[in-house]
Structure formats: structure tokens, C-alpha cells
Amino acid sequence: MIRWGIYAVGTLAAILAALFHSPEVDSVQDSEEFSVWARCDPHSQVSVPQQIWVQVTFGSSSTSPTAIATMSSFGSRGLESRSTTPLWGTPQKGWVAFVFEGPPIEGNYYCQTDWGNKRAHLSYVTHPKIKMYLSLDGQPTTQEMDPALQGSRSILSIPPTPGSTTYQAGAGSAAPYWLEVAIPVYDSPSTSTTMYNEFL
Amino acid sequence: MSLIRTISAVGVLALLTMTLGETDFELYTESHAEPSTSAMSVTCVSPGVVAFSPNVAYTISIPAPTTSAFSASSVTATAALTNAVNGDTNPTVSIGTDAGDDAVVLYHRGPYIKIGGVQCSAATTAKLDAYGDGVDDTAYDVSVQETAVSTYQSDNRADNKASGTPLVAFGTGGSVATSNLSDGSDADTYTNGEISFGGASSGGFRLFNRVVYLQANPDTRGETITWVFTPN
């Protein structure tokens, strides 16, 4: 009985406290509920050349054939890179390859939680008459790019730009790269494919 | 009892809700950008076809006979190239036979000659014709022959041919058995859009010169040979 009496008194006290509580106390409790919090969803914007055009011009001399290749990139990101060093027989007999300075690519990241290095995966739609290779040191390479959006061998590591949300790769950046493009010596004048730039 | 427990539970829940709201921790995974594409096109600018051939100058020494019988083996000759192709060097000249009583034959490996500028097309082979300048010096004949042949063959003369009826040096029915040459198996061994002839290996031939004993001392004779490359 005594225990039930205590419960009854306690319950009554709680009810009374709820009905006759002080307005000042309510004011304090309300001010604590006003909190400002912003939601910032991580998102990113990537800028790459919309078009990359390689023009190969051959010539002859009494000593050896000559070849000049120009890679021009257009769009929000652009660059012109020239190569006068044809790699005859690369990657196989009947082909010629050129190494170009990679066009700039850029990714802007907002509201991210990890500001470490980003990775960019470069890949391309494989084509019987174009072969593309990713070089990280400007030298000819046998490291062919991955087929479109597959694989993991043609990846760039891109450090963040201090004080910025931007990650840049390519000519003049902290993450330069080179594209090696090979075509058959004997073929139709023009061929095309698609390159993918995927920031991971 | 149950009412008090309910009120207590509501209070705890309210406190927890308020704490969550003020702290604002929500976890998001790292964002991945959508792949961006670059249209990639390669254009091969077809060059003009260009042919290269060197000049060859011979110096022939014919010693005065010490006996009444002249010996061809006493003749010496050298060849000097200018505008050499593909870094070619002066060929060594040999003295041949079957020149007849009044002439001497000189022969050597053919100098490098080549056709360039056949990139960006389906042409990978070429035939080679040769003809003279229409003014035949009867004291000086030039023929194109196989590398294994050491005797002069008048049927293979080029200097007395006309442009309309050239000597087919390489090609079907040509004076040299090697048929059309393919880039990559030619003298420079590279597949580079240039088809070269000459040397002693693939695409090789011998250039023969039959020179009638000259009457003046010194005497100078010459022939102009036009080489015609036809890409296939």
C-alpha cells in the first residue's frame, strides 16, 4: 500500500509540475531548440575537352620519312600538343604512334569529407584502327588504356589543389600525363572513337 | 506506474531527439562524378608521292696495255654517289665479262632508290620502270639485272628505252625476278610508308654499265635514267 501511495503522489506531482511550470523555464527550453544546421550534399563537376583531334601529316626526305602529329583539344578544357617523333612499328608492324602531352582535365568537389588524392580513370572505346595508351612519364609505353569504363590499369592519381576544391590533371598541373595514340600507316584518312574521363 | 514509465520514456526520447538535431551528423559516402566523354578523332593527311634516286659517277682507269692483248682485268673503276638515299654509301664496282672485244662492263649493287609518301592509303607495294632520255649514247649502256647475275644482258637495257615502252625493272615480267615489293619487306625493313629498292638484300638489283673503250683521253660519257614508281 505504501508503495502505491508513493507512486500516486509522484504521479500527481509530475502532473502538477506539467500544468503549473514556470514560463521562464519554457523560454530556456525553446531557445535550445533553435539550432541552425546546413545540409551540404557532396557533389562534383568535371570539365574535360569535348573533342580531341589528332592530325598526322607525313612527309618524305632522302634519308627517312617524316611525320608531324598535332593533338588539339577543344571545349571547356583545351590544349595543343605536337609530336615530331613517330614511333614506327608501334605497337606492331604497320602502325605508327605518337606521344602527346595530355589535355587538361579538372574536377571540382564540393562538401566532400575526404580531401586526399583523387583518382581519374581514363578509358576509351576500343577501335580496330586506333590504339590509346596512358603514359605517366612522357615516355612511350605499352600500357594500353582500359576499354570504356572497365578495368583499373589506366588511372591517374591527382593531388588536391591547396585551398581549393579543384583537382587538376594534365599539362601544367601537379598530375601531368601523356596520351600515346597509334594508328595504322596504311588506312583511310579519318577514324574516331570516344575517350572517357571518370573521376573516382 | 506505467504512466510514470511512459512519461520518463518520452522525456528521454525528446532529449535524444534534441541532441541529434543540434549535433547534425549525417553520414554521406564520397561522391563520384559521372563519366565525361571526349570525342576522339584522328585524321591522316595523305602526302604527295615523292621518289628519290641518287646520281652515280664512275671513274674508270684503263692502263696502257703492256702487251698486244688487252686484259679487262686490268681495268679499275670506282663509283661515287651524290644525293644518296637512306644514307647509302658508295658501292664497290666489279668488272664483268661478256662485254665484247671493244668494251668493258662495270657492275655493282643497285644504289638505294625509293618512293615515299604512300602513307594514309591502301598502297603498300610498287612496281618500278626505267627508261632513258631519248638520246642514246652508243658507247655507254646501262642495264638493270638480278643480283645473282654477273654477265651483262643487253635485253635489260634501260638507257635506250622510251617513256612509253620502259624497262620493267620490278614487277610482272620485269628484268628482276622480284615481283612488286611490299613495304616492310623492302630494303629499309620498316613499314613506314616508303618503298625502297636497291642494296643487296630484299628489293636488291644490280646496275650494269657497258662502256665502249673510249677514244679520247680523258673522255666523259653519261646517260640519264628515269625511274618510274607506281604504287599499287
Side-chain angles (χ1 to χ4, degrees):
Chain A
M1 277 302 286
I2 296 174
R3 190 174 59 178
W4 282 109
I6 294 173
Y7 283 155
V9 171
T11 301
L12 182 60
I15 294 172
L16 290 175
L19 292 176
F20 302 104
H21 61 277
S22 164
E24 289 77 10
V25 173
D26 278 347
S27 173
V28 171
Q29 288 176 341
D30 286 344
S31 67
E32 287 179 351
E33 290 175 359
F34 280 113
S35 61
V36 176
W37 59 281
R39 175 187 172 108
C40 183
D41 292 333
H43 62 286
S44 58
Q45 293 176 338
V46 175
S47 299
V48 301
Q50 276 78 57
Q51 185 178 11
I52 300 175
W53 180 45
V54 176
Q55 184 182 52
V56 182
T57 303
F58 292 99
S60 298
S61 75
S62 62
T63 54
S64 63
T66 60
I68 298 175
T70 304
M71 172 180 280
S72 304
S73 48
F74 307 97
S76 59
R77 315 298 298 171
L79 177 77
E80 183 168 295
S81 175
R82 288 166 64 88
S83 173
T84 57
T85 309
L87 305 168
W88 301 108
T90 302
Q92 62 199 49
K93 192 172 185 179
W95 286 61
V96 62
F98 301 87
V99 178
F100 301 98
E101 201 171 13
I105 56 178
E106 182 178 292
N108 274 307
Y109 285 76
Y110 305 100
C111 305
Q112 63 177 344
T113 58
D114 178 10
W115 288 99
N117 283 14
K118 293 294 183 188
R119 294 181 304 151
H121 183 212
L122 305 187
S123 58
Y124 78 117
V125 177
T126 55
H127 191 284
K129 295 174 182 175
I130 298 176
K131 286 191 181 298
M132 295 187 65
Y133 302 80
L134 177 64
S135 170
L136 299 180
D137 60 3
Q139 299 301 311
T141 177
T142 58
Q143 187 70 62
E144 185 177 0
M145 269 190 192
D146 287 320
L149 302 176
Q150 300 177 38
S152 59
R153 63 172 180 255
S154 48
I155 284 183
L156 292 170
S157 179
I158 309 176
T161 303
S164 170
T165 59
T166 301
Y167 290 76
Q168 291 179 321
S173 74
Y177 70 97
W178 288 261
L179 291 177
E180 183 177 325
V181 180
I183 61 170
V185 174
Y186 298 99
D187 212 300
S188 55
S190 184
T191 47
S192 61
T193 185
T194 301
M195 191 172 84
Y196 284 89
N197 306 271
E198 187 180 20
F199 277 74
L200 304 176
Chain B
M1 171 67 181
S2 62
L3 179 59
I4 293 175
R5 287 178 176 172
T6 301
I7 292 173
S8 301
V10 169
V12 171
L13 182 61
L15 181 62
L16 179 59
T17 302
M18 185 172 65
T19 303
L20 284 172
E22 290 176 346
T23 305
D24 183 26
F25 66 90
E26 294 187 25
L27 295 178
Y28 296 95
T29 57
E30 192 68 20
S31 68
H32 286 188
E34 289 296 317
S36 298
T37 60
S38 299
M40 182 92 188
S41 61
V42 180
T43 301
C44 183
V45 180
S46 184
V49 176
V50 182
F52 297 91
S53 62
N55 298 320
V56 188
Y58 302 94
T59 299
I60 306 170
S61 295
I62 303 176
T66 55
T67 65
S68 59
F70 176 78
S71 172
S73 63
S74 64
V75 175
T76 59
T78 59
L81 301 179
T82 53
N83 298 325
V85 174
N86 287 359
D88 202 1
T89 55
N90 296 335
T92 300
V93 178
S94 300
I95 307 300
T97 57
D98 297 338
D101 294 336
D102 59 349
V104 64
V105 165
L106 319 174
Y107 70 91
H108 57 86
R109 65 164 179 79
Y112 288 132
I113 54 180
K114 71 175 182 180
I115 179 175
V118 291
Q119 299 94 347
C120 311
S121 73
T124 59
T125 63
K127 66 190 288 277
L128 178 63
D129 296 334
Y131 59 87
D133 57 3
V135 181
D136 183 24
D137 184 340
T138 56
Y140 182 33
D141 300 331
V142 179
S143 71
V144 178
Q145 301 177 188
E146 293 184 54
T147 54
V149 175
S150 298
T151 57
Y152 174 76
Q153 298 172 336
S154 60
D155 290 345
N156 292 338
R157 280 182 64 188
D159 62 293
N160 64 342
K161 299 296 190 298
S163 60
T165 55
L167 171 76
V168 179
F170 288 82
T172 304
S175 58
V176 178
T178 307
S179 60
N180 297 343
L181 292 182
S182 295
D183 192 15
S185 60
D186 58 352
D188 66 12
T189 71
Y190 289 99
T191 305
N192 52 13
E194 292 192 340
I195 304 169
S196 59
F197 299 76
S201 58
S202 178
F205 64 94
R206 276 182 175 170
L207 200 59
F208 277 73
N209 298 265
R210 180 181 181 275
V211 184
V212 175
Y213 295 149
L214 307 177
Q215 302 300 313
N217 185 21
D219 197 357
T220 301
R221 302 294 178 125
E223 289 282 12
T224 299
I225 303 298
T226 298
W227 304 95
V228 180
F229 297 87
T230 305
N232 295 326

